[in-house]
Amino acid sequence: MTITRRSLIAGSAATALLRPFGARATGLPRDTDVAIIGAGAAGIAAARRIAASGKRVLVLEATALIGGRCATDTSTFEVPFDRGARWLYNSDGNPLIAPARSADIVLAPAPRGQRIRIERRNARAGETEDFLALVVRANRAMMEAVRGRPDMPALEALPRDFLEEWGGTLDFFLGAFATGCDLKDISAADLLTLQPREPASFSRQGLGTLIARLAENVPVALSTPVTRIAWSGRDAQVETEAGTLAARAVIVTASTGVLNAGKIKFSPDLPKRQLDALSKLVLGSTDRIALELPGNPLGLGRDDPYIEKSSDNRTAFLLANTGGSSLCQVDVAGSFGRDLAAQGEKAMTAFALEWLRKLFGGDPARAVRHTVTTRWNDAPYVMGAMSAALPGGQPSRKILTEPLGPLFFAGDAVHETLWGTAGGAWVSGERAADAALRKLSGKIEGMAQDTRPAKTSRQRHSVEGGSTGGLAWPKQRR
């Protein structure tokens, strides 16, 4: 176990962190005011808020790294490679923008004007306009389908003719690429709550680097998986392989994949209301195949983003020549991405190279120098990518904001409108911290809710950069 600490850990607090506990001389303190499970964006946001209040806090992280699904590889390629979350959506209001700038993180606009590839040519302006108009119509159809009616799978809300020409592309663009799940598997109502993501930015040093830098002044115990939380009384006991930590409040930011798999036991069991909510919030599948292609064999520009016109789900997203380097990134997602990742790195790399050859010609396999793939579904303390709600699961996000005695939940699944994003995870962590502080002060109010009205389909899909990688949306046709 490694404990990182900086200036906020001083005096008796530092002594407590270094003191052996129980039979294992591992450095866990006996107790703390607030224990936080997970050192991703939500956990670090919560820890910063708790530490700023003057209360004692300790983050328990199962892996050896800070950042969670914000993970940056700075050594493999000539530029930082984000293995997980990549964009900071809605740069004008994203809560991470100001902390990033204060931490000397260089932010750049996400690429704009994403292109669509049709076989070995770029889509013509009219073809792109047709697809964008179809996206707007699809959102209108989903809104009408669930207005005053029970929720349904997003795909069932779309008329059949929507899927005739652009079906594979529409499913990938609105479903797998945005949520990690195919449209047939996710809630139409939840998809419609997603707040606008434009304009978007990214960190030149990497989003994982940003989260790690923001964690410098909070105590984090690395390589310390939590196995059980006893929460029946006013306080809680957090059990780890390094010992047991007593806490007056516990903020759980572990992924819904980990929680649904029962990797953290709760004593007593969580109430049925919370268990049902968790079961309806799954993790989509998104993985990345990174290819070092010296000499620009694809003939593309810096940070060039592409999707393709596809008739099925065997498709991907390309971000070429990252930061002007030779790093090209191919994202696979949804059920196809999940199945492909299960076959291993060799199969993933083979698909990426063949997909690029199909779209751009030549033989990129001859040019490739180095490859790296992610496999988030197999990461034991994550078990997937971003949050997605099953049909009927949209209310589950709000349910998880409800405190349970000393227990609070946070993470990218616990935000009603910014789910699946680092910004949403950050806000949920701050909200959980505020609720925990109210509990410590004797107040019993729950977490503040996001009361902003949901955007219309026109507002939500006027994107010029964001989860789309920059596909510019036209005005709606009427």
Side-chain angles (χ1 to χ4, degrees), residues 144-265:
E144 289 299 322
V146 299
R147 180 177 295 166
R149 301 184 183 93
D151 193 12
M152 64 180 67
L155 186 65
E156 291 184 13
L158 303 181
R160 290 185 178 273
D161 65 303
F162 280 35
L163 307 175
E164 290 177 357
E165 183 177 3
W166 291 93
T169 310
L170 187 69
D171 199 340
F172 178 75
F173 189 69
L174 290 180
F177 186 42
T179 71
C181 290
D182 302 342
L183 288 178
K184 66 181 177 60
D185 297 323
I186 57 174
S187 158
D190 194 54
L191 192 59
L192 291 168
T193 66
L194 196 59
Q195 286 289 316
R197 295 188 170 190
E198 79 287 356
S201 302
F202 66 97
S203 164
R204 286 294 184 193
Q205 293 103 317
L207 199 51
T209 301
L210 166 60
I211 301 301
R213 194 167 293 182
L214 294 177
E216 288 181 349
N217 289 331
V218 296
V220 180
L222 298 174
S223 303
T224 309
V226 171
T227 56
R228 181 175 175 270
I229 301 173
W231 60 281
S232 58
R234 286 176 53 88
D235 299 340
Q237 300 288 321
V238 181
E239 297 180 6
T240 78
E241 296 178 359
T244 300
L245 174 71
R248 297 172 61 194
V250 178
I251 299 174
V252 180
T253 74
S255 76
T256 56
V258 167
L259 295 175
N260 282 320
K263 292 203 167 189
I264 299 176
K265 306 298 182 184

